[in-house]
Amino acid sequence: MNDESDIQFIIQQILNDYRAGRLKYYLHEKSRLYLKQEGISASKVLKLAIAQLPTSHFYRGPSDHHWLPKFVVYEFIELNHGVNLYVKFDVGPEYTQLESYHPQEKALNVTWFFH
Amino acid sequence: MQIIDQVCSPNIFGKPVYYNVLELKETQMIGHDPLTNTHRYWIPVDADLDDTSAYIDPLDQIDYNFEADFALYREKFNFLTAAEITKSRENLGLTPDEAALILGLTTEKLSDIENDGCLQSFDQEILLRLLTTPDSLHQHVQRYHALIELRAKQADMDVDALFAKLEKINAK
């Protein structure tokens, strides 16, 4: 996906899910450890991820989720206090879940689409 | 590691998914400092118990481990609790906007700390302690009077009322 309107559409869908209480926390070890190191709670990270989403870099997606058949995965890079954060949302028919929120590990070898 | 319970949580299709609830002692970096605490996780019953990548925070209490870690950290390192910060600020009669401005924090950060959304850093703890010591707070306000006044004006606060309130705190 590299069309700006498509990206804006999916961002809007994630924002809508958040506003409707349909954004769920589903972070694993790497993200949890980062949050604790930074002193950020699970509840707070949902707000942070959403607040920065409109100004993020779209990185990749949609791609199939490895174990949720009706979910598709969208990945973003969000800048927070000088740190590039890798943020992954699993977007499903009934809700969206935040699956990753941690510093980007390696340089991205893709052309970024800044929206 | 100890399995303490088994719970069921429906997936998106309403199908029940069973999880083991386990507790284990871990040392993790909390606020950039190592801290050992007992954590609680859910793991699908068919997953390998040693596969820590499959552990998830309790879906019915996603802040459970965070709150436990933040509470232990504050206790161990003598930091103010979220409730103590709120109580100190309210005892001084300061609104979150006023307290944040005086301490050089954002209102959002102060609210996050007061509501347990964030653990205060050491730097922030030193500032927040001023709320518990009116004499030190008064010295702080005197020292940074010009900057506090400037920022209060920029924030459209009633500067005279704010400083009158601060003088009243000092007079108590």
Side-chain angles (χ1 to χ4, degrees):
Chain A
M1 177 194 281
N2 59 6
D3 182 82
E4 182 169 4
S5 62
D6 291 340
I7 295 168
Q8 293 296 352
F9 177 79
I10 199 63
I11 287 175
Q12 197 56 50
Q13 185 176 342
I14 295 170
L15 294 176
N16 288 344
D17 274 356
Y18 173 72
R19 292 183 190 119
R22 294 193 302 261
L23 177 62
K24 298 190 176 187
Y25 166 94
Y26 204 86
L27 294 181
H28 287 279
E29 190 175 25
K30 190 183 296 179
S31 300
R32 271 201 309 269
L33 293 176
Y34 170 69
L35 294 180
K36 287 184 176 182
Q37 178 186 293
E38 298 302 314
I40 301 168
S41 73
S43 303
K44 178 63 184 175
V45 75
L46 294 179
K47 293 179 190 168
L48 282 177
I50 286 300
Q52 293 156 358
L53 189 58
T55 56
S56 66
H57 292 279
F58 177 77
Y59 170 37
R60 198 162 54 191
S63 48
D64 291 340
H65 194 278
H66 53 287
W67 56 270
L68 286 172
K70 291 192 177 180
F71 279 67
V72 286
V73 177
Y74 294 91
E75 297 156 88
F76 299 85
I77 303 296
E78 298 186 356
L79 186 65
N80 186 11
H81 297 297
V83 178
N84 282 338
L85 296 166
Y86 170 78
V87 183
K88 182 160 80 176
F89 291 97
D90 308 328
V91 179
E94 312 230 346
Y95 64 85
T96 294
Q97 64 184 23
L98 176 64
E99 192 176 330
S100 296
Y101 190 91
H102 57 74
Q104 174 194 332
E105 290 171 320
K106 55 187 176 184
L108 305 176
N109 59 351
V110 296
T111 303
W112 283 20
F113 187 91
F114 186 79
H115 55 85
Chain B
M1 180 199 304
Q2 183 185 6
I3 295 176
I4 61 164
D5 200 2
Q6 193 173 89
V7 293
C8 178
S9 183
N11 67 11
I12 54 165
F13 309 110
K15 185 183 167 191
V17 178
Y18 291 91
Y19 297 88
N20 283 320
V21 181
L22 58 90
E23 286 189 344
L24 74 160
K25 195 167 271 192
E26 296 178 301
T27 299
Q28 296 177 337
M29 298 300 282
I30 310 298
H32 299 276
D33 300 298
L35 190 77
T36 302
N37 202 2
T38 300
H39 297 132
R40 181 177 296 178
Y41 298 109
W42 289 13
I43 180 169
V45 289
D46 55 352
D48 178 1
L49 284 176
D50 292 324
D51 179 10
T52 59
S53 67
Y55 294 4
I56 56 172
D57 285 302
L59 293 177
D60 58 347
Q61 288 178 279
I62 59 171
D63 282 323
Y64 181 88
N65 293 315
F66 292 87
E67 287 175 357
D69 286 337
F70 294 176
L72 182 62
Y73 185 97
R74 283 166 166 147
E75 182 186 346
K76 183 175 180 182
F77 298 117
N78 197 29
F79 274 33
L80 291 165
T81 66
E84 286 170 338
I85 294 164
T86 303
K87 189 179 175 191
S88 301
R89 177 181 58 73
E90 289 177 347
N91 282 345
L92 297 173
L94 295 173
T95 66
D97 285 340
E98 291 168 341
L101 185 141
I102 291 164
L103 299 179
L105 302 172
T106 63
T107 304
E108 184 186 9
K109 173 57 77 176
L110 179 59
S111 295
D112 283 342
I113 293 169
E114 288 193 9
N115 294 307
D116 246 349
C118 289
L119 173 68
Q120 68 266 39
S121 66
F122 188 23
D123 290 353
Q124 290 160 352
E125 168 67 15
I126 291 168
L127 290 169
L128 292 165
R129 277 281 165 191
L130 294 172
L131 298 176
T132 67
T133 51
D135 287 350
S136 300
L137 182 67
H138 179 68
Q139 287 177 16
H140 171 85
V141 171
Q142 292 298 108
R143 183 172 295 133
Y144 301 109
H145 190 287
L147 183 58
I148 292 170
E149 183 177 4
L150 175 67
R151 289 186 176 182
K153 281 179 184 169
Q154 288 175 332
D156 285 333
M157 280 186 192
D158 185 336
V159 178
D160 293 337
L162 174 62
F163 280 102
K165 189 185 283 187
L166 292 169
E167 280 304 317
K168 201 172 163 186
I169 291 167
N170 184 48
K172 276 184 183 175

